[in-house]
């Protein structure tokens, strides 16, 4: 019998150096999440696997009960998955102890919530600066970075106003500024337009899109709104706790992309709404 001899690969050649690609901003590997006790288990996530590359703006959609909010909670470290791995910038966060998780959440994640989560007793300037102050950034740098990001996101004029003196759109852009000012590895947006009127929602979505294009922010946005999702570069659809489909924008205009998203939503039965 003739023994086959494998051709040498680049890695087996003397002195060869294999090029290593940079880790994805987010890697979810066979993540499962189960709630309840034996005999009454709810499988919110069923071995879901997905990647979000650095500099991507990805929307997560799915019918009610699909698991999209559970996925967000696991990525944000609010919940721990029952099994599987979640890696942010190559770091496995599912194995971190509680204290390390707190530091990770502070340093590597930015959050934009539906209800803003601004502190009413602080001005916009102080709300934004807080994200840097808790990281022990020097005061002079805090002031400069706060002013810079407020100018970029169009809220410099309201820096000395309190949340109660701002419009909904202004509050959300201040929240966006707070989320990105610390240069996090990943920004998580949870139904960010849910409490806004149509004009304010459009302004915020334009802001997120600009943050992604010009500042290379990596954004994962959970939304039930096809219009909001059309601002992303890619939409992932989740059904029954698993990845069901994806739509990439590519070179398509936003209106064309919106129409393609609607097609998938219609196929899913139109039940893309609030999630448990």
């Amino acid at each position: 019998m003739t023994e086959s001899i494998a051709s040498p690969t680049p890695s087996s050649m003397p002195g060869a150096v294999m090029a290593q690609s940079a880790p994805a901003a987010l890697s979810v590997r066979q993540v499962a999440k189960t709630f309840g006790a034996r005999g009454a288990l709810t499988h919110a996530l069923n071995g879901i696997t997905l990647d979000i590359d650095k500099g991507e703006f990805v929307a997560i959609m799915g019918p009610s009960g699909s698991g999209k909010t559970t996925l967000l909670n696991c990525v944000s470290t609010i919940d721990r998955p029952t099994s599987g791995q979640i890696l942010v910038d190559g770091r496995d966060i599912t194995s971190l102890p509680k204290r390390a998780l707190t530091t990770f959440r502070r340093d590597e994640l930015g959050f934009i919530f539906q209800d803003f989560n601004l502190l009413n007793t602080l001005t916009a300037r102080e709300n934004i600066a807080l994200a840097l102050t808790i990281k022990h950034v020097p005061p002079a740098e805090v002031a400069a970075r706060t002013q810079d990001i407020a100018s970029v996101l169009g809220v410099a004029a309201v820096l000395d106003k309190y949340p109660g003196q701002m419009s909904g759109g202004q509050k959300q852009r201040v929240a966006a500024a707070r989320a990105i000012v610390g240069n996090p590895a990943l920004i998580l947006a949870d139904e960010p337009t849910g409490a806004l009127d149509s004009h304010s929602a459009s302004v915020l979505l334009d802001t997120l899109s600009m943050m992604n294009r010009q500042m290379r922010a990596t954004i994962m946005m959970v939304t039930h709104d096809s219009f909001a999702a059309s601002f992303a570069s890619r939409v992932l659809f989740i059904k029954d706790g698993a990845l069901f489909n994806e739509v990439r924008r590519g070179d398509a205009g936003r209106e064309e992309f919106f129409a393609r998203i609607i097609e998938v939503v219609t196929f899913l039965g139109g039940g893309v709404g609030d999630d448990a």
Side-chain angles (χ1 to χ4, degrees):
M1 183 173 65
T2 303
E3 184 178 330
S4 62
I5 301 175
S7 300
T9 62
S11 60
S12 64
M13 295 178 183
V17 177
M18 289 293 289
Q20 293 185 346
S21 58
L26 172 66
S27 292
V28 176
R29 291 287 173 267
Q30 292 295 317
V31 166
K33 179 63 179 178
T34 303
F35 297 98
R38 183 176 299 177
L41 294 177
T42 298
H43 300 282
L45 296 176
N46 290 298
I48 190 167
T49 293
L50 60 89
D51 287 311
I52 296 178
D53 290 333
K54 293 180 180 179
E56 269 200 296
F57 181 4
V58 175
I60 308 291
M61 300 189 73
S64 178
S66 62
K68 60 184 185 293
T69 297
T70 301
L71 174 63
L72 179 73
N73 288 343
C74 288
V75 172
S76 67
T77 72
I78 293 173
D79 282 336
R80 282 189 184 268
T82 305
S83 62
Q85 289 182 304
I86 298 174
L87 295 90
V88 175
D89 205 14
R91 185 181 186 187
D92 184 1
I93 65 174
T94 55
S95 62
L96 293 179
K98 185 173 293 186
R99 180 171 294 183
L101 273 178
T102 300
T103 302
F104 165 81
R105 192 182 303 121
R106 180 196 69 195
D107 293 343
E108 301 298 337
L109 299 180
F111 296 92
I112 303 175
F113 302 97
Q114 178 176 329
D115 56 358
F116 319 126
N117 276 23
L118 298 178
L119 298 177
N120 291 326
T121 56
L122 300 183
T123 64
R125 186 188 308 276
E126 292 165 337
N127 268 284
I128 297 169
L130 186 61
L132 298 173
T133 303
I134 62 175
K135 294 184 178 183
H136 309 294
V137 175
E141 186 179 344
V142 169
R145 287 170 64 175
T146 298
Q147 187 67 49
D148 287 346
I149 196 65
S151 297
V152 170
L153 298 188
V155 289
V158 299
L159 277 178
D160 295 316
K161 292 185 178 182
Y162 292 92
Q165 300 170 314
M166 293 184 280
S167 69
Q170 288 170 334
K171 291 178 187 177
Q172 272 296 41
R173 279 181 285 158
V174 169
R178 181 184 59 188
I180 198 173
V181 72
N183 298 319
L186 179 65
I187 292 176
L188 301 173
D190 183 12
E191 299 283 4
T193 61
L196 301 177
D197 58 53
S198 59
H199 172 72
S200 296
S202 294
V203 171
L204 173 65
L205 292 165
D206 282 332
T207 299
L208 292 177
S209 184
M210 183 272 289
M211 289 164 59
N212 170 247
R213 291 192 320 271
Q214 298 183 19
M215 306 173 73
R216 301 301 297 160
T218 305
I219 303 170
M220 172 179 149
M221 175 177 67
V222 169
T223 182
H224 70 281
D225 184 356
S226 299
F227 175 74
S230 70
F231 282 76
S233 56
R234 183 161 59 110
V235 181
L236 299 177
F237 294 88
I238 295 175
K239 182 179 180 181
D240 298 329
L243 188 62
F244 172 75
N245 200 354
E246 74 169 31
V247 180
R248 293 177 180 268
R249 181 169 182 172
D251 296 327
R254 198 175 57 74
E255 290 186 3
E256 179 184 343
F257 191 41
F258 174 72
R260 290 162 58 194
I261 294 168
I262 288 294
E263 288 181 2
V264 180
V265 170
T266 302
F267 182 80
L268 284 170
V272 178
D274 292 336
D275 191 15

